Amino acid sequence: MNAANLRARVRAEMTEEIKQVALRHLATDGANLSLRAVARDLGMASSAVYRYFASRDDLLTALIIDAYDAVGEAAEKAAASQADPVERWVTITHAVRDWAIANPHKWALIYGSPVPGYQAPQDTVVPATRVIFALAGAVQAGLATGRITEVPPQPAGRFGEEMAAVAEQFGTGVPPHLVGGVMSGFIHLCGAISGELFGQLNNTIDEDREGFFEWQMRAAAAFAGLA
Amino acid sequence: MNAANLRARVRAEMTEEIKQVALRHLATDGANLSLRAVARDLGMASSAVYRYFASRDDLLTALIIDAYDAVGEAAEKAAASQADPVERWVTITHAVRDWAIANPHKWALIYGSPVPGYQAPQDTVVPATRVIFALAGAVQAGLATGRITEVPPQPAGRFGEEMAAVAEQFGTGVPPHLVGGVMSGFIHLCGAISGELFGQLNNTIDEDREGFFEWQMRAAAAFAGLA
DNA sequence: GACATGCAAGAGCAGTGCTCTCGTTGTGGC
DNA sequence: GCCACAACGAGAGCACTGCTCTTGCATGTC
């Protein structure tokens, strides 16, 4: 609790406050975040914000990392709540979807089209994998409890080798072809949520989107071996 | 060839030219399209552009409709080139992916996060369905030639009813549960392409993305009955 | 020739990201 | 206890944006 720590804490609080206001703006005004508007809401000059974030992109990056962590945490929490592997998979996907529906602007931030001129820095790599790992954990549990019987078609050629490398990198003991199933399920999950949030389902599936979602996610689970 | 027609033709040409330059800007500068920059490129005042498009959003809408039509045409052309139902499905998905990779900014325009404050008008509804109909055509062909043997799990409850309504609306004679498979495949397709273009595959699948894509799309075809 | 229409240019408004400079204020080392 | 220094906030300013309004010009019609 020395002075340096105090100053750092005040700075951290200010940084957090800027992010919160920015999130509020993102939620109401859409993706074109105005730094000046954020500064106005905080009763400070726009130039003062630059003491905390070097640029608008820097602020966005901070928000993106937070969002990855939030959705990853939601997925992990859901995973911990279910013992049965199949239901764990389904619960994880529902948790991600619920989070996305509650925070559509944050979802767009991380899984929508990249912000113009914005290039995701290396900081975002690790938090981005938490959902995938949660899904892989369900498959791992399925393997451990002997629930996995059928297997998806073996990936062939270079792609098969790449899956083997990813399986190695994962280090979860999940065999390559199931890693492919996990990745495919993750992609399907992202597509289902983005399709729902970005309007691709409009005028086609308007009533029971949750039913459609779960139907797809159970199919994705089956493709990853979890039948 | 009276004067009015001539004027209309000149106007149409000018409109087309603005769209082309706007697309070029979209491709190089990303999604934040600057109307003034487009006007500069055309050697005209920014205010003159407003004679052709009421607003920047109007210009974007025109580009979105064009993009829907272009990707739809690519899908239909691919569909026509393949008689075998399964290969037709795969060929369609590859055609859509190829188009998206060749026109990533256009893909982001229609399947990425919605432009801030932009609400898709009713004009975009019909062209948006062309890819789905192409996929449904492959399933229809599979039904006609007796290629469809296994069926996906029946959609239950409200979602099942909704699928029945959509099947009716499609009018292609494809039964409800297979319509669900088509929709799921379309969603998976969108997710796979967006995941690839928007960077979700980075640091995981970097080599044989085409192999991963086709592996997924064959699984999606199987889920829609095309095994 | 008078009139009307379509078009383009220019000025102008309110907003943006970002930089620079200038005071102030709080902090750490002596 | 004092002083140098770093952190900070405010304000002005630059170049840019979407969009509006007015003006001038060219063309077609009566």
Side-chain angles (χ1 to χ4, degrees), chain B residues 36-121:
Chain B
R36 288 180 111 112
V38 171
R40 268 197 303 274
D41 264 28
L42 286 164
M44 70 200 302
S46 68
S47 55
V49 178
Y50 285 84
R51 297 267 170 204
Y52 299 90
F53 296 95
S55 72
R56 183 172 157 279
D57 277 4
D58 255 44
L59 175 53
L60 278 176
T61 301
L63 297 180
I64 287 172
I65 293 176
D66 282 8
Y68 271 126
D69 271 325
V71 69
E73 193 182 319
E76 287 164 9
K77 207 167 167 182
S81 75
Q82 279 283 347
D84 180 77
V86 177
E87 294 312 311
R88 185 187 294 185
W89 174 290
V90 173
T91 304
I92 291 169
T93 60
H94 266 113
V96 173
R97 176 175 175 267
D98 291 344
W99 181 88
I101 289 176
N103 306 280
H105 51 292
K106 295 185 190 175
W107 177 267
L109 214 50
I110 54 183
Y111 291 116
S113 28
V115 177
Y118 174 81
Q119 199 62 298

Side-chain angles (χ1 to χ4, degrees), chain B residues 4 24 28 34 77 84 98-99 113 121 126 129 134 139 157 160 181 185 191 195 200:
Chain B
R24 242 176 36 215
T28 57
S34 161
K77 207 167 167 182
D84 180 77
D98 291 344
W99 181 88
S113 28
V126 173
T129 58
V139 172
Q200 259 78 59

Side-chain angles (χ1 to χ4, degrees), chain A residues 97 107 186-198 201 212-213 216-217, chain B residues 187-188 191:
Chain A
R97 175 174 175 268
W107 177 268
F186 173 70
I187 291 294
H188 201 158
L189 169 65
C190 291
I193 294 175
S194 291
E196 184 169 347
L197 287 185
F198 299 163
L201 262 45
F212 180 53
F213 177 79
Q216 288 181 94
M217 290 302 105
Chain B
I187 291 295
H188 201 158

